[in-house]
């Protein structure tokens, strides 16, 4: 008599997925992760609003919440004195010189020809 082991588990296909299949799976997972993130943020915001209402806290109480971003200070308030070969402007002040100025000086030329 010959014994046989019953096949309880179906054979699996262990062929490798293609790049496009893996990318589709990755995009699907990223979409799921983004949705989970949005849901979590919405839950946290709702919790914060409930706590603020419970304790009578306003956005002004939190400090620094002005509703908009402050305008950043411009890099230079001095008028430009030099114009580079590609139209770059430089005021000629202290500090690091722009690359085009360093290149002009390294080639032995004078900046006078670039004065505005």
């Amino acid at each position: 008599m010959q014994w046989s082991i019953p096949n309880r588990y179906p054979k699996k296909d262990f062929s490798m997925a293609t790049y496009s299949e893996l990318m589709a799976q990755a995009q699907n997972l990223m979409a799921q992760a983004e949705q989970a993130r949005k849901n979590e943020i919405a839950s946290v915001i709702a919790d914060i609003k409930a706590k603020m209402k419970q304790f009578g806290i306003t956005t002004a109480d939190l400090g620094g919440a002005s509703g908009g971003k402050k305008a950043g200070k411009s890099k230079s308030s001095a008028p430009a004195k030099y114009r580079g070969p590609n139209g770059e402007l430089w005021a000629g002040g202290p500090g690091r010189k722009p690359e085009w100025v360093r290149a002009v000086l390294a080639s032995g030329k004078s900046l006078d020809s670039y004065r505005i």
Side-chain angles (χ1 to χ4, degrees), residues 5-7 9 11 30 33 62-63 70 73-74 77 79 87 99 107:
I5 300 173
N7 188 3
Y9 305 105
K11 288 187 177 180
M30 289 300 293
L62 299 176
K70 294 181 181 179
K73 186 179 176 187
S74 66
S77 59
E99 184 63 37
S107 68

Side-chain angles (χ1 to χ4, degrees), residues 29-44:
L29 289 173
M30 289 300 293
Q32 289 177 14
E34 182 62 25
Q35 187 59 47
R37 182 182 155 279
K38 287 179 182 179
N39 292 344
E40 187 174 7
I41 288 174
S43 173
V44 169

